[in-house]
Amino acid sequence: MTITLAPSPPDAAWPRPGELVADAAASVRRASGVPVELMGDDELGDSISGLAALESQAAALRLALSAEADRRRVAEETAETGTDAWVARLTGTTREQAAGGLRIARLLDEKYAATRAAFASGSLRLEQVRVIVNSAEQSPVDATREQVAAAEEWLVGQATGAGTRSGRGLDAKRLRQAARRMFSRIDAELAAQHEAILLGREARSAEVETFLALHDNGDGTYSGRFRIPELHGHLLTQALDRLTAPRRLTRDKTDQTVIDEAAPGQSWGAHVYETQGAAWCELIEHLPTTGWPGHAGNGCEVLVTLDLSALRTGLGAAGLDTGVAITAGEARRLACGAGLVPAVLDGTSVPLDLGRSRRLHSRTQRRALALVHDTCAVAGCHRPFAWCEIHHHRLAWSRGGRTDLDNGLPLCGHHHRRAHDPLYHLRRRTDGDWAFHRRT
């Protein structure tokens, strides 16, 4: 959209945009005064959809006006350092955001007519416009203007739904994936070159922008933010999906319905993040470790100090050599994993045990157990044996239990935590499977 305003247009020739914008703002204010609780479901949906289109039309007009102001060098009249600074002052945005909008506005005006028209009609969102324009700007140098225009029109159809079978448009994230093949229907060689350009650009950007920030909250938790490449994000997502807590309702080997009382029910919303957080912790505990081949243990060696009474009862606290305190119950659970050396002290703080030579089941014993169990031993849990830890189920290692085959039971990280939870009791059923029951 290109809007050129003469300094003093005749009133009969052009309506004044400022007056139209004021009328539109007044209409939105009147609409916001309607009690939303009285609106029907269809009316709610139509209103949200209509407002989204209106926001796109307003954004398209604002970018066009900004581009015109840049051409006229309006910012020089107020001694601004640039049009981006002038726009940022008027809109309350940052200068960087204003500069990005000006770039998109110029490109829409100069090159991308199909995107400009769809944006002005309210069919595209600004995020989609950015994807289309940025992807088209990375077109191979051998692509002609006609080929780029055809690829642009196809991508606009994917974004608006006009070019999809379902009639539903792709959001910005999915559109970015589709943009990698925007030349596939035009020229196979161009498509391969364009995809390589986009992937290479994304990879270089990911290398620069990859980061991890962790913060000790001081309340027993850590928080943080991270940014990783798309490939590693998919790999991490896949690993966490495999480790999410099993469903409460599942089936055992005989196809009978099983109610796992130790597992949370199917969760949605905020509970999904809690489940993913638990899976993240389990993933960290199972990082590869050297010195214990074949054992699915935790990835670092930590010295844990705890009293003999706490080891036996699971009550009290234990200390890590990093200065962090954990519960005695957590220490007992971690004692089943590789890389943790318990230092047991008596009442006078005299070391009694610095780890037993056969505290962990050997690789050969794991192989023997793998012949009996191909998954977690709990009925209905389908996490693979490779992710399981061997639990001393008959007599706990902390109570003098032997590391023998008949005292070993493969449990996934989730059920291993439940096995050390005093709220649950692990029992063997008549059919040979294992199940948890709440203690009463």
Side-chain angles (χ1 to χ4, degrees):
M1 174 186 292
T2 303
I3 298 178
T4 304
L5 301 179
S8 300
D11 292 343
W14 291 100
R16 295 187 180 277
E19 296 177 356
L20 297 178
V21 171
D23 292 341
S27 298
V28 173
R29 283 196 299 270
R30 288 195 299 272
S32 63
V34 177
V36 295
E37 61 272 11
L38 300 180
M39 299 173 64
D41 293 349
D42 293 339
E43 191 175 6
L44 284 173
D46 293 341
S47 298
I48 292 175
S49 177
L51 283 172
L54 181 61
E55 289 171 359
S56 293
Q57 292 174 310
L61 178 59
R62 178 170 56 82
L63 290 184
L65 295 174
S66 300
E68 177 64 21
D70 187 54
R71 279 190 290 270
R72 294 190 190 183
R73 297 185 177 180
V74 174
E76 295 181 1
E77 299 179 6
T78 56
E80 301 279 1
T81 56
T83 305
D84 50 357
W86 180 76
V87 171
R89 177 175 59 82
L90 293 174
T91 59
T93 58
T94 65
R95 186 169 183 173
E96 292 76 13
Q97 290 174 319
L102 281 172
R103 172 181 173 273
I104 294 295
R106 296 190 193 105
L107 293 173
L108 288 176
D109 184 47
E110 298 169 1
K111 300 182 180 180
Y112 305 112
T115 306
R116 182 177 69 241
F119 191 28
S121 68
S123 301
L124 289 179
R125 308 293 168 255
L126 181 57
E127 295 81 5
Q128 295 171 309
V129 172
R130 293 186 187 277
V131 171
I132 297 173
V133 171
N134 291 333
S135 300
E137 280 294 286
Q138 299 297 317
S139 299
V141 294
D142 296 336
T144 65
R145 177 170 297 186
E146 291 75 16
Q147 289 174 322
V148 174
E152 176 206 357
E153 291 179 3
W154 176 83
L155 200 55
V156 169
Q158 297 297 305
T160 60
T164 62
R165 293 181 180 180
S166 63
R168 299 180 59 183
L170 305 179
D171 59 30
K173 183 170 66 174
R174 296 170 60 199
L175 188 65
R176 189 173 291 107
Q177 301 290 331
R180 296 174 180 173
R181 56 180 188 277
M182 60 187 295
F183 284 95
S184 60
R185 290 164 178 76
I186 300 171
D187 185 280
E189 185 175 349
L190 283 178
Q193 293 179 20
H194 185 241
E195 185 174 24
I197 291 172
L198 291 181
L199 291 175
R201 183 170 179 264
E202 292 172 3
R204 289 191 297 273
S205 175
E207 290 177 0
V208 174
E209 298 180 5
T210 298
F211 73 91
L212 172 64
L214 292 176
H215 174 69
D216 186 352
N217 298 320
D219 59 357
T221 64
Y222 264 72
S223 61
R225 298 184 303 113
F226 68 93
R227 184 185 182 96
I228 57 178
E230 181 183 39
L231 168 63
H232 300 85
H234 281 295
L235 294 175
L236 178 60
T237 300
Q238 185 181 46
L240 294 178
D241 286 344
R242 286 167 48 204
L243 291 174
T244 50
R247 297 179 179 178
R248 180 180 296 275
L249 295 178
T250 183
R251 294 184 178 276
D252 59 16
K253 299 176 182 179
T254 61
D255 203 34
Q256 298 295 316
T257 301
V258 175
I259 300 178
D260 187 356
E261 297 184 13
Q266 186 70 14
S267 57
W268 301 94
H271 297 292
V272 173
Y273 299 112
E274 297 176 4
T275 303
Q276 292 286 325
W280 182 286
C281 293
E282 185 171 344
L283 185 64
I284 293 174
E285 288 185 10
H286 290 81
L287 293 175
T289 179
T290 57
W292 300 96
H295 184 84
N298 44 318
C300 55
E301 183 172 282
V302 179
L303 182 65
V304 181
T305 306
L306 70 166
D307 293 331
L308 180 61
S309 60
L311 177 65
R312 289 175 174 172
T313 63
L315 302 177
L320 304 184
D321 56 0
T322 58
V324 177
I326 62 174
T327 66
E330 278 292 282
R332 291 176 61 183
R333 180 180 67 83
L334 290 174
C336 297
L340 184 144
V341 179
V344 183
L345 308 178
D346 65 6
T348 57
S349 297
V350 177
L352 298 180
D353 191 353
L354 291 178
R356 302 178 188 174
S357 60
R358 290 296 304 277
R359 174 172 55 87
L360 301 174
H361 286 78
S362 67
R363 186 173 185 177
T364 303
Q365 288 175 315
R366 286 185 60 87
R367 287 174 176 172
L369 289 171
L371 297 177
V372 182
H373 305 274
D374 55 356
T375 63
C376 172
V378 175
C381 183
H382 303 294
R383 296 194 192 183
F385 179 88
W387 278 92
C388 291
E389 303 153 354
I390 309 304
H391 173 61
H392 295 70
H393 67 94
R394 294 183 183 275
L395 184 60
W397 177 85
S398 59
R399 295 179 176 273
R402 299 175 59 85
T403 307
D404 298 330
L405 279 179
D406 60 356
N407 196 33
L409 189 68
L411 296 179
C412 67
H414 172 79
H415 285 115
H416 197 183
R417 285 189 291 271
R418 297 293 81 79
H420 289 276
D421 189 336
L423 295 178
Y424 295 96
H425 179 60
L426 181 61
R427 299 177 182 173
R428 190 167 192 174
R429 305 190 319 187
T430 55
D431 60 3
D433 281 335
W434 295 80
F436 283 94
H437 301 277
R438 276 187 175 274
R439 298 182 185 273
T440 58

